[in-house]
C-alpha cells in the first residue's frame, strides 16, 4: 500500500470512523427516542444510509479533502456530515441534539439553514450530484477570465447514492460535462446496491463503468478492502474472490444481515474443502468482518485510491459499501428508514465503549489519548478553510441605456439592452455571464454573443466565418467568451445557473449570470430551479416568449402557470414588464438585487417595504418577456415611476375620485387593457388603469404589511395598499394577463373591491393573437364585458354596438 499516511494517523482515523458512525447513529436515535416527540411524527431513520458512507466520509473529510475542495453530500448522509463538523468544532452539540427539530441541524445538508458550512444543499436526489459538475465548469470559467487564480483550484466532489443515478438529470449533466471539457470533478458512488425500497439490479456497476468511460471519465472501481485482498492470497482465496464476484446482490445483502455463522455455512456449501483453511482459521465475527470488508469500508484502500487519483480528469469512484455497515440491520433490504431499537442502541453503545450519559462527548470511548486526537483534528486539511466571507458587490448603473423603437417587444428590448451592455467597459459588463439551452438566438442573445463570444477553455474558430459564408451570428469560442452555450436540457440550465450563481461563495469571485429559455420550459427544470433558489444561488432568468401571445407556436409552447410559479417560488422575484423602459429599470434593479448579501434572516419587524420585499437581502430574478411588438409609451423615467415598476405596479392612468372601474393588467395584454379603458370611458366614471410589473412583489409587500400590522405595527402599509387606498368601495376591479387569472385575483382582497379576473386557464392552441385573445377572453371586449357585469350603470356603448 502506498499512501502518505502514517500508522499512527491511520489508527486515529479508525477511531474517528467509529466516532462518526456512533455520533450519526446516536443523533438520529436521540431525535426519535430521547427528545420529546411532540407530534407523533417519526423522525426519518436513515441510520443505515448514513452508515453506508461513514468510512468514505471519514477518509475524505479527515484526510483527503483540501481546503479548496467542495462537496455535495448524499442527502441521507447528513448526520455524518454534522457529526464530522462537530468533531472538528464547527457544529454545536445543541444543534445535533436538535437534529431535524426547529433550528436544529438539518435533515439534509443545507447551505442556508445549517451553520456548519455546507458547500451545496442536497435533498432532491440527483441535483447535488450535477451541481458539482457545473461548479467545476463555473470554476474553470472564473479562472479562465483571470479571476481568483491566486487561490488553488478546488475539486468538486459528490457523494452519490447508487440509486441516485436513476435520476435522468445526472445523465444530462454527464453529456454536457463531456461537451464542456469537464475537469476537477469526483463522483464517489456509494455502491451499497440498495435503494429506498429494495436491492438494486445485478451488474449495475458495469453499466455505470462503461457509461462514465464513454463520456471521458476516469473510472476507479473500489471493491475489496485490504482484509479481503490479503485473504485472496491465502489458499482458496481466488475461489473466494470468484464466489464474491458471482454472488447476487440480494444474497450478499442477506448474508451480511445474518452474520458470521451464515457466511460459514453458505461458503462451505458452495466452496467446500477449497476454502476450509481460510474459513477455519477465523471465528464467526472475524469471518463477518472479512466478508463485509468491502473497499468502501476500508480506510487504507480509500486513502490510497484518493491519493493516487492525482490528475484533473473527472473521476467516478464506484465504491462497494454495505448499507447499515456496523449496525444491526446491515444489509437488510428494509433498512432504509430503519431505526435501532433502544435495546439495540444499548448494545451498540456498549460496543462503542460509550457510557450512558456520555453519548455526546467527543472523545468518549476512544482508545487513543484525546489530546493526540485533538492535535490531529487541529491539522485536518479541510478544516483549515476560513469562515465564509461576503464578496464585494459590483456596481451597476442605475439606468441601462437602450434605444427604444416606437414599436418593440420586450424580448427585442432585452436583446437591445444586452447589446448595449456588451459595448460597455465597466466591470459589471465583464462579470455578466449568459447561458442558454440551445435557444440563444431565439431568445435574442445573438447580438450580445456576437460581441462577447462564447466560452470554452480551448479557443475554437467559427468555420462559417473563416470560410467567409455570410452568417448573422459569430459563433467563436474562447477562454474569454462570456456566453456558455448548453444543450437543450433545461435541468442543466438551472443547475448551471445555480453553480454560476454561487460563484461568490465557492470561488470568492462574483458573477452576474443571466440565463434565457422559453417560458413554458421552466416547468421542465422546475425542481432544479427550486434547488438553485433553496441554496440561495443568484441569477437572472429571462423567460421568453411566453403565454398564448406566442400565438402561432401553439399549445405545446404556450405557458399558463408560469406567473404563479414566479409568485410562489421563494428566493425568486418575478417581473412581467409590458414595455421596454420598464424592462430596462427591472434589469438594472435585478443586477443589483442578485448581489445583495443573503446572510441573515430578512426581518419583517420594521416599517420598511424595502425589508418586506427582501431588497436588502436579495435573491434571484425571473423576467417573463414576450415577442409581441407593442407601441411604446413616450415618457420620461421619473424616480417615482422607477420605484413603482420595481415595487410591482404604477398607475398608467390614475383613477378619478369616483372611479367605478379599475383595470389592472400585466405584460403583453397592455394594448387590450389600454383600449378597454378608452372604450368604457364614456359609460363608466373615472376609470383607472393599473400597470402591474410584478404581481409577485406586489403580493409579497401586501402580505408582509398585513403580518407587520398583526404584530402591532399599525401604520404599516404596502405599495399596493397605498395604490388602492383612494378607490371608492363600490369600484370594480378587472384584472387581466396572459397567464393564469389567479395571479392577480387577490387584488380584490387588498381593499375589498369586487373583482373579475381574466386570464388563461386552458391549454392554448395555434392562431393569431386576436383569435386567441378573443377565444380565451383576454381581449378588450372581454375586459369591457367584465367591467359592465361588475359595476352598475348604463350598458357600455361599445358592447351594444357589437350587438
Ligand atoms: C427527487 C427525489 N425523489 C425521491 C426521493 C426519496 N428518496 C430518498 S433516498 C431514496 C433512495 C436512495 O437510494 P440511494 O441513492 O441508493 O441511497 P442509500 O440510501 O442506499 O445510501 C429515495 C427514493 C428524494 N429524496 N428525492
Ligand atoms: Mg444505495
Amino acid at each position: 500500500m502506498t499512501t502518505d499516511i502514517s500508522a499512527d494517523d491511520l489508527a486515529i482515523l479508525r477511531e474517528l470512523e467509529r466516532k462518526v458512525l456512533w455520533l450519526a447513529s446516536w443523533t438520529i436515535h436521540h431525535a426519535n427516542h430521547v427528545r420529546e416527540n411532540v407530534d407523533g411524527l417519526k423522525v426519518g431513520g436513515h441510520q443505515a444510509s448514513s452508515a453506508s458512507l461513514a468510512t468514505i466520509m471519514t477518509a475524505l473529510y479527515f484526510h483527503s479533502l483540501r481546503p479548496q475542495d467542495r462537496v455535495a453530500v448524499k442527502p441521507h448522509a447528513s448526520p455524518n456530515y454534522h457529526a464530522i463538523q462537530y468533531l472538528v468544532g464547527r457544529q454545536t452539540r445543541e444543534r445535533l441534539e436538535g437534529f431535524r427539530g426547529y433550528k436544529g441541524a438539518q435533515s439534509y445538508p443545507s447551505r442556508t439553514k445549517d451553520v456548519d458550512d455546507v458547500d451545496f444543499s442536497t435533498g432532491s436526489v440527483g441535483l447535488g450530484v450535477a451541481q458539482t459538475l457545473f461548479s467545476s465548469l463555473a470554476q474553470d470559467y472564473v479562472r479562465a477570465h483571470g479571476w481568483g487564480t491566486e487561490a488553488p483550484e478546488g475539486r468538486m466532489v459528490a457523494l452519490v447514492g447508487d440509486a441516485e443515478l436513476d435520476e435522468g438529470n445526472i445523465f444530462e449533466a454527464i453529456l454536457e460535462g463531456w461537451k464542456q471539457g469537464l475537469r476537477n470533478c469526483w463522483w464517489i458512488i456509494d455502491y451499497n446496491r440498495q435503494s429506498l425500497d429494495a436491492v438494486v439490479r445485478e451488474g449495475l456497476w458495469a453499466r455505470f463503468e462503461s457509461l462514465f468511460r464513454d463520456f471521458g471519465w476516469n473510472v476507479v472501481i473500489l471493491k475489496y478492502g485490504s482484509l479481503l485482498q490479503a485473504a485472496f492470497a491465502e489458499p482458496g482465496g481466488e475461489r473466494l474472490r470468484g464466489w464474491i464476484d458471482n454472488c447476487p446482490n440480494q444474497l450478499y445483502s442477506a448474508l451480511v444481515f445474518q452474520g458470521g455463522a451464515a457466511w460459514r455455512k453458505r461458503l462451505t456449501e458452495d466452496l467446500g474443502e477449497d476454502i476450509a483453511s481460510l474459513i477455519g482459521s477465523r471465528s464467526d465475527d472475524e469471518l463477518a468482518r472479512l466478508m463485509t470488508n468491502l473497499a468502501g469500508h476500508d480506510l487504507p484502500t480509500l486513502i490510497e485510491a484518493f491519493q493516487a487519483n492525482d490528475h484533473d480528469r473527472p473521476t467516478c469512484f464506484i465504491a462497494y459499501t454495505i448499507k447499515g455497515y456496523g449496525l444491526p440491520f446491515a444489509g437488510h433490504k428494509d433498512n432504509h428508514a430503519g431505526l435501532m431499537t433502544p435495546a439495540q442502541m444499548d448494545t451498540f453503545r456498549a460496543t462503542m465503549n460509550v457510557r450512558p450519559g456520555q453519548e455526546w462527548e467527543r472523545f468518549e470511548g476512544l482508545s487513543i489519548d484525546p489530546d493526540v486526537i485533538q492535535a490531529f483534528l487541529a491539522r485536518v486539511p479541510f478544516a483549515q478553510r476560513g469562515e465564509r466571507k461576503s464578496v464585494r458587490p459590483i456596481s451597476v448603473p442605475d439606468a441601462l441605456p437602450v434605444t427604444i423603437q416606437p414599436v418593440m417587444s420586450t424580448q427585442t428590448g432585452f436583446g437591445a439592452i444586452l447589446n448595449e451592455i456588451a459595448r460597455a467597459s465597466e466591470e459589471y459588463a465583464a462579470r455578466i455571464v449568459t447561458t442558454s439551452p440551445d435557444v440563444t438566438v431565439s431568445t435574442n442573445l445573438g447580438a450580445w454573443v456576437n460581441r462577447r463570444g462564447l466560452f470554452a477553455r480551448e479557443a475554437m474558430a467559427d468555420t462559417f466565418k473563416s470560410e467567409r459564408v455570410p452568417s448573422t451570428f459569430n459563433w467563436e469560442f474562447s477562454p474569454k467568451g462570456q456566453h456558455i452555450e448548453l444543450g437543450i436540457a433545461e435541468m442543466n440550465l438551472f443547475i448551471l445557473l445555480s453553480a454560476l450563481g454561487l460563484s461568490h461563495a465557492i470561488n470568492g469571485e462574483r458573477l452576474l449570470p443571466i440565463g434565457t429559455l422559453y417560458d413554458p420550459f421552466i416547468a421542465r427544470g422546475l425542481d432544479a430551479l427550486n434547488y438553485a433558489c433553496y441554496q440561495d444561488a443568484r441569477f437572472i432568468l429571462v423567460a421568453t416568449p411566453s403565454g398564448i401571445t406566442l400565438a402561432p407556436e401553439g399549445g405545446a409552447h404556450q405557458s399558463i402557470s408560469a406567473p404563479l410559479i414566479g409568485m410562489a417560488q421563494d428566493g425568486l422575484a418575478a417581473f412581467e414588464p409590458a414595455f421596454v423602459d420598464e424592462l430596462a429599470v427591472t434589469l438594472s434593479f435585478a443586477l443589483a438585487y442578485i448581489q445583495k448579501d443573503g446572510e441573515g434572516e430578512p426581518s419583517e419587524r420594521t416599517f420598511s417595504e424595502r425589508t418586506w420585499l427582501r431588497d436588502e437581502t436579495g435573491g434571484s430574478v425571473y423576467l417573463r418577456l414576450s415577442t409581441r411588438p407593442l407601441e411604446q409609451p413616450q415618457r420620461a423615467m421619473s424616480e417615482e415611476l422607477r420605484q413603482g415598476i420595481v415595487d410591482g405596479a404604477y398607475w398608467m392612468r390614475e383613477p378619478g375620485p369616483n372611479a367605478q372601474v379599475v383595470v389592472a393588467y400585466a405584460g403583453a395584454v397592455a394594448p387590450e387593457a389600454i383600449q378597454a379603458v378608452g372604450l368604457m370611458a364614456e359609460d363608466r366614471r373615472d376609470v383607472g388603469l393599473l400597470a402591474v410589473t410584478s404581481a409577485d412583489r406586489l403580493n409579497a409587500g401586501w402580505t408582509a404589511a398585513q403580518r407587520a400590522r398583526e404584530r402591532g405595527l399599525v401604520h404599516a402599509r404596502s405599495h399596493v395598499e397605498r395604490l388602492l387606498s383612494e378607490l371608492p368601495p363600490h369600484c370594480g376591479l378587472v384584472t387581466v394577463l396572459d397567464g393564469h387569472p389567479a395571479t392577480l385575483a387577490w387584488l380584490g382582497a387588498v381593499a375589498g373591491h369586487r373583482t373579475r379576473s381574466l386570464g388563461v386557464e386552458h391549454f392554448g392552441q395555434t392562431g393569431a393573437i386576436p383569435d386567441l385573445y378573443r377565444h380565451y377572453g383576454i381581449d378588450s371586449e372581454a375586459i369591457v364585458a367584465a367591467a359592465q357585469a361588475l359595476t352598475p350603470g348604463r350598458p357600455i356603448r361599445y358592447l351594444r354596438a357589437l350587438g
Side-chain angles (χ1 to χ4, degrees), residues 5-16 299 367-368 373:
I5 189 158
S6 69
D8 285 353
D9 280 359
L10 189 58
I12 295 174
L13 282 181
R14 290 210 155 103
E15 292 290 79
L16 290 170
L299 285 167
S367 56
I368 296 178
I373 296 191

Side-chain angles (χ1 to χ4, degrees), residues 706-718:
Q706 292 175 92
R707 277 194 296 270
R709 286 198 292 274
E710 287 151 16
R711 287 176 181 150
L713 298 175
V714 289
H715 300 298
R717 280 289 169 284
S718 63

Side-chain angles (χ1 to χ4, degrees), residues 49 74 76 123-125 161-164 167 192 194 196 323 336:
S49 196
K74 182 186 78 169
H76 296 83
S124 177
V125 300
D162 44 2
E164 264 194 285
E167 290 287 0
N192 60 23
Q194 281 186 251
L196 190 158
K323 190 155 170 171
H336 184 81

Side-chain angles (χ1 to χ4, degrees), residues 654-662 684-688 726-732 753 791:
E654 192 116 23
N658 296 312
Q660 285 185 293
V661 183
V662 159
R684 292 293 181 277
R685 275 193 307 277
D686 292 354
V687 181
E726 301 293 315
L727 291 185
H730 58 76
C731 179
H753 293 104
T791 55

